[in-house]
Amino acid sequence: MRAPLIAGNWKMHKTSSETEEFITRFLSLVPQTTAEILLIPPYTSLDRAGRMLRGTGIALGAQDLHPEVRGAFTGAVSAEMLVDCGCRYVLVGHSERRHVFGEQDDLVGRKLCAALAVGLRPVLCVGETLSERRDGATERVLERQLDSGLRGLMPNAIADLVMAYEPVWAIGTGETATASQAQDAAAWIRGWVCDRLSRSTGDAVRILYGGSVKPDNASGLLALADVDGVLVGGASLDPSGFAQIVAGTGI
Ligand code: PGA
C-alpha cells in the first residue's frame, strides 16, 4: 500500500517570515489525513520551517542540492546541510533546474546519489517538453532521464525514492495533463521500474504527478491507479488552497 504524498514546491517564493505565516495558518486548516504532506520552501526558509514543523508530522524538503559533500562551490548547499535543517526529502532534476539552469542528466544522477548517501529521499523529476510530446518522444525522454538518473543505484535505494512525472508543458502554464496522459506516463514509469529492477520495487515506488495541480483538479489526479500523489507549485503558496488539495486525498 503506497501512502499518498502531497508536496508543495514554493520555488523562489516566500521570505522566512512569510514562511512562518504560511505554516501557522496551514496548521490551523489542514485536515486529518493519512497522506504524507511535504513542504519545499526556498533554502533561506528551511531552518525556520524545520523548527516549526517538528512534531507536526509534516515533512520538510529542499528544492535542490550540490552533489559534492563540501568544498569551494560558492552559492551551493550540500545534502548534509539540508539534513541539518530538518529536511527529509530533496527535489532532484526539477524541469526548471534542467531547462533554466541547464542541468544535464549525469549531474542529476550525481545529486541523487549524494542525497541517498545521507539518507535524504530524492524526488526525481522527469518529463517531456511540448515539442518532444508532439514528436511522440515522451517515452524516449522518460527512459533517458530514468536511465541516467538511476544508473548504478541499488534496487533497495530506489524503493526509497519518489518519482515525479512533470510534463514541462504543464508546469506553471495552467494546462494540466489529462487524466489519461498522467496515468499513462505514471504507469509507464512504474513498468520501467518493474522491468529494470523488480516487480516488488515497482509496486512500492511512489509516483507523483506535477504540472498546474489546483484544488479543483487534484482529487481526479489522485484517484488515478498509478498516481500516488501530487507535486504542486503555484497552488501550494496559498495555505487554504494547499489544505484543500490535501483534503482531496479523501482520507
Ligand atoms: P505548477 O508547478 O504547479 O506551478 O505548475 C509544478 C512544479 O513545478 O513542481
Side-chain angles (χ1 to χ4, degrees):
M1 188 58 196
R2 302 183 295 263
L5 176 61
I6 312 296
N9 169 21
W10 292 356
K11 311 191 180 189
M12 198 172 73
H13 292 282
K14 295 193 192 294
T15 62
S16 160
S17 25
E18 287 165 345
T19 297
E20 183 171 335
E21 280 165 33
F22 176 100
I23 293 175
T24 305
R25 180 109 180 90
F26 182 66
L27 290 176
S28 74
L29 294 168
V30 67
Q32 279 277 347
T33 177
T34 55
E36 193 177 2
I37 302 170
L38 169 62
L39 293 183
I40 311 176
Y43 287 142
T44 47
S45 292
L46 286 177
D47 189 56
R48 196 155 176 182
R51 288 172 204 277
M52 289 185 79
L53 293 177
R54 210 171 285 155
T56 63
I58 297 175
L60 183 69
Q63 298 174 14
D64 188 32
L65 79 164
H66 193 276
E68 296 296 331
V69 173
R70 69 182 65 79
F73 302 105
T74 301
V77 172
S78 74
E80 189 189 2
M81 293 170 188
L82 301 179
V83 171
D84 189 50
C85 290
C87 288
R88 208 180 306 157
Y89 288 89
V90 62
L91 297 183
V92 177
H94 187 277
S95 76
E96 285 146 19
R97 297 300 315 174
R98 294 179 190 266
H99 297 289
V100 181
F101 296 93
E103 282 188 12
Q104 302 294 318
D105 292 324
D106 65 323
L107 177 59
V108 172
R110 287 170 56 219
K111 289 184 173 190
L112 212 111
C113 292
L116 288 168
V118 297
L120 269 177
R121 295 180 143 206
V123 179
L124 173 64
C125 303
V126 294
E128 79 290 358
T129 63
L130 188 56
S131 65
E132 289 164 338
R133 174 162 282 271
R134 284 191 179 136
D135 292 347
T138 300
E139 292 176 358
R140 208 162 59 234
V141 171
L142 296 180
E143 183 162 35
R144 191 200 73 225
Q145 293 174 337
L146 292 171
D147 269 340
S148 51
L150 303 180
R151 187 175 297 138
L153 291 184
M154 303 299 287
N156 60 345
I158 290 171
D160 244 13
L161 70 84
V162 175
M163 314 264 193
Y165 170 62
E166 296 210 303
V168 179
W169 47 271
I171 296 178
T173 58
E175 193 174 337
T176 320
T178 62
S180 74
Q181 287 169 329
Q183 167 57 25
D184 287 353
W188 190 91
I189 293 169
R190 196 176 304 288
W192 184 94
V193 177
C194 288
D195 285 353
R196 297 298 172 90
L197 299 153
S198 69
R199 180 68 201 263
S200 59
T201 309
D203 285 343
V205 74
R206 284 185 294 178
I207 302 173
L208 314 183
Y209 167 80
S212 296
V213 175
K214 304 269 181 305
D216 59 1
N217 62 20
S219 54
L221 290 159
L222 288 162
L224 299 169
D226 285 292
V227 172
D228 307 309
V230 284
L231 178 52
V232 188
S236 70
L237 295 170
D238 168 47
S240 88
F242 193 52
Q244 276 178 54
I245 291 174
V246 172
T249 52
I251 300 159

